[in-house]
Amino acid sequence: MTDPNAIQPSALDQLPDRDPEETAEWQASLDAVAKAAGPHRAAYLMRRTLERAEGTGIALPKLLETDYVNTIPTPAEPSAPGDEAMEARITAWNRWNAAAMVTRGSKYGVGGHIATFASAAWLYETGFNHFFKGKEADGSGDQLYIQGHASPGIYARAFLDGRLNEQQLDNFRQEAGGNGLPSYPHPRRLPWLWEFPTVSMGLGPLSAIYQARFNRYLTNRGIKDVSASHVWAFLGDGEMDEPESTAALALASREGLDNLTFVINCNLQRLDGPVRANFKIVQELEAQFRGAGWNVVKTLWGTAWDELFQLDTTGALVRRLREVPDAQVQTYQTRDAAYIRQDFFGKDPELAEMAKLLSDDKILECFHLSRGGHEARKVYAAYKAAVEFKGAPTVILAQTVKGHTLGEGFASKNANHQMKKLTVDEFKTMRDLLELPISDAQFVDGVVPYGHPGADSPEVRYLQERRAALGGPAPARRVHPVAPLPAPAEKAFASFDKGSGSQNVATTMAFVRLIKDLVRDKESGKRWVPIVPDEARTFGMESLFPSLGIYSPKGQTYEPVDRDQLMYYKEAQNGQILNEGITEAGSMADFIAASTAYSTHGETMIPFYIFYSMFGWQRTADQMWQLGDQLGRGFLVGATAGRTTLTGEGLQHADGHSPVIAATNPAALTYDPAFAYEVAAIVKDGLRRMYGEAAPGEDQNVFYYLTVYNEPLPQPAKPAVDGVDEGIVKGLYRFNTAESAGLSPVANAPRIQLLGSGTAIHWTLKAQQLLADEWGVAADVWSATSWTELRRDALEADAALLRGEERMPYVRQALQGADGPVLAVSDYMRQVPDQIAQWVEQDYSSLGADGFGLSDTREAARRHFGVDAESIVVAALAQLAKRGEVKATAVKEAREKYGL
């Protein structure tokens, strides 16, 4: 049996030893140190030697963990500018008002979180006073991703600054009246303050990485120099368990994003208890980030610990700190000095001797209060090191106490995330601790007062002077006055109106051809941001590689294998395409950064992100909500769409439901175009609405979701009748009638209205032919480009009726007077076309591809789901038979005829 502690073979064993004698001498020296001074001393010397080697550029694998001490020792800390005593008073006011706001709101049962900001107050205050650049100076300022649960502290600072008043604080989490504050950062709810919605945990860190990357993209492409902008992401140590939190760490280091800093508030607690009860989350995160290539700065212990470290001449204290699990550190925070003496110091004879030199007050100061994240000087040193470090992003691991300054009832208690209020006595204790001039008389009827030193107080003047020096208030969202983009040349869209003749063209290819023309536009072409998750060739986009280039901060440092081909793989520092590799989440983060550049940087960008439709909304719907929350604009394109269209791939690729998920997002305009000219019309209108001259009452802060198909078919010309473009945009228009299709039905023939969307319209047209030729039924065919937009319009009409306004839904208006029943068909589950059922006056039924997908030919899959042309015929005859317009036996005859 192999000894697990035995030395295992390594890569070094494969290398010839040029001087075995010298190697043996080094090994003997190590053995001698271990024997004479102990293994801990030997380990210390090895670690320092490896650090020395790394610092001098010797190529060695990096150390993934350092000791559980501060990266920047106290003697190396730079002097922080400014007035630390003044900043402490400002922080005290913010702590008080954050707790007061949540406590006052608790009587309404709206909830809130107090403990998170209490632990992180200095992490924010130091940044606001010395680092976070505002938007009123040159450039775009910094981008701040605020930890969602810390929002009360940000509101408290805005109150001190005069940007919020008491009434607004009292409306925390009470927005219905129109003057409230959202519970968490939310640009749609408080658009002048919040830039980034972050409380869907994990999306903040992922988005911050791609925002920093997009800043480089804008600079390298010559759109705008935003090299002075720095991205700060404030995160919780528990939040780092979300897969999205660490999904793009390698991208950030690979591209050298030194314009990015993560600040992780390591208070060792998540929502229910310790983050790593039996382990050490700081050490785990350090190894994870170092392994990914980040610069790591640990800010763990406050100044009170300096005396203890000076007494640690043997390394016993450092060893003990390294081995104590996080849950025990949390316990020390709540226990008396005797317990700490016995449990922490008493485990090691050397530490027991050290403890004899320490007073109880000193022990309690260290273990209860003194954390690196609670001291302005240590936080300043970490931030300064981060912004000055070049070549890689930085993560600051700042240790704090959750519930710090809130009293013994809060600090380090497992339940403190759910604790919503302090008692009056607890507030008075907190007041005394923070030395705030708030009298007992101000607690009227037991209600805690807000505190403010006065608009002209030294504290407010200092705060405002610091923000003025840094470029204005923060956080802040600005929508810069940007002129509407001029519409692209009409010929780019009109070229699709004539159809494709005998050439088979899939709507995916039609969309790509349209984009090729639009990116050539002299005015707006450079504004397009194509985003692809490593599927460009699937969608026929490889022809864009040499003309637009794939963005890479390094350009192209190699000769591509296909360089001798016309459509070779071209990377460039100013490349326009973002080809993200196999990451839908990363691609969505790219899209969000690009789609909100009009606000973040005052630069209008037009992102389109094309993906397998099955792997869009199903996989990243949370980010699509984030996109809507952040008021993003652009085009999401679900390619290879539909349940039966992607032959052979099977159920994991067969999308029969993305329009259902998309319909739940109020900011998403969902379209399922059938023909190339519909794709062109929708994109044209989207460019007008989002980037051009929106009509009165139209919300520009929307994004479009188009489903396009990989089924090559002849593309018809746009019908030469009035109202087609309006119908395409609103969601429904009549493509043809039985008569205009040249089917010459007999007089008084039974008639039915067939509504089809996307690729289903081709089966519907075939069914129209069969109904006329074989059953004497006249069918009119309608193209339903958007079931969801039809429904939303109808819902708005219903709401208008409640206000006493008469308005007919567009779907009812369009179908008004159409003879016969309505049969709706799509390549999605029936729930998609059934969105409009209650507003259709005619008898209504639907067909769809419900259930799991399967691998087979398109024809077999459509027969399986009962949506092929023959199945449509049977369903149409059944509808007409119910009405007595065809013989009941016709339905059975049709089933037998078509083998259904």
Side-chain angles (χ1 to χ4, degrees), residues 95 115 118-119 333 368-370 374 401-407 411-412:
R95 288 180 183 279
S119 68
Q333 169 68 33
H368 284 194
L369 301 174
S370 188
H374 296 323
V401 174
K402 192 166 186 176
H404 184 59
T405 73
L406 297 180
S412 283

Side-chain angles (χ1 to χ4, degrees), residues 261-340:
T261 297
F262 276 15
V263 181
I264 302 182
N265 178 17
C266 297
N267 57 34
L268 313 185
Q269 290 184 246
R270 52 189 178 197
L271 308 189
D272 287 333
V275 179
R276 291 289 183 274
N278 297 297
F279 307 93
K280 300 191 79 64
I281 185 60
V282 169
Q283 300 299 88
E284 178 183 320
L285 291 174
E286 178 183 28
Q288 193 169 16
F289 278 87
R290 282 190 186 277
W294 286 53
N295 176 44
V296 179
V297 177
K298 287 159 54 172
T299 303
L300 307 180
W301 306 111
T303 305
W305 282 83
D306 289 349
E307 180 183 338
L308 274 69
F309 288 124
Q310 289 168 5
L311 294 172
D312 184 30
T313 57
T314 65
L317 176 63
V318 172
R319 291 197 303 275
R320 182 70 178 131
L321 289 174
R322 194 165 59 235
E323 70 188 22
V324 175
D326 283 353
Q328 193 63 25
V329 174
Q330 181 186 353
T331 298
Y332 293 148
Q333 169 68 33
T334 65
R335 296 295 195 269
D336 60 18
Y339 178 90
I340 298 171

Side-chain angles (χ1 to χ4, degrees), residues 342-363:
Q342 178 181 350
D343 193 87
F344 181 83
F345 293 98
K347 302 289 186 181
D348 185 297
E350 293 178 353
L351 289 181
E353 290 300 312
M354 179 191 295
K356 293 177 181 178
L357 304 175
L358 303 174
S359 68
D360 285 357
D361 287 344
K362 182 66 178 181
I363 289 175

Side-chain angles (χ1 to χ4, degrees), residues 127-144 157 161 163 192-193 195 224-226 228-232 463-478 480 599-601:
F128 285 130
N129 285 324
H130 302 290
F131 291 94
F132 304 156
K133 294 185 286 295
K135 297 181 176 301
E136 295 176 1
D138 294 337
S140 301
D142 287 352
Q143 288 82 57
L144 309 180
R157 196 174 204 275
D161 194 12
R163 294 200 288 164
W192 60 267
L193 180 71
E195 273 196 290
K224 182 180 182 180
D225 184 356
V226 296
S229 290
H230 199 88
V231 178
W232 300 82
L463 181 157
Q464 293 176 340
E465 287 168 2
R466 293 306 309 141
R467 288 313 313 157
L470 288 165
R477 180 178 181 272
R478 297 285 186 269
H480 306 268
S599 169
T600 309
H601 295 299

Side-chain angles (χ1 to χ4, degrees), residues 499-527:
S500 65
S502 60
Q503 182 184 6
N504 289 336
V505 177
T507 50
T508 297
M509 184 52 63
F511 177 82
V512 172
R513 288 184 184 178
L514 175 63
I515 294 300
K516 286 180 183 177
D517 289 338
L518 294 176
V519 296
R520 294 191 187 104
D521 185 83
K522 292 181 180 179
E523 295 289 339
S524 61
K526 69 177 183 179
R527 301 283 172 178

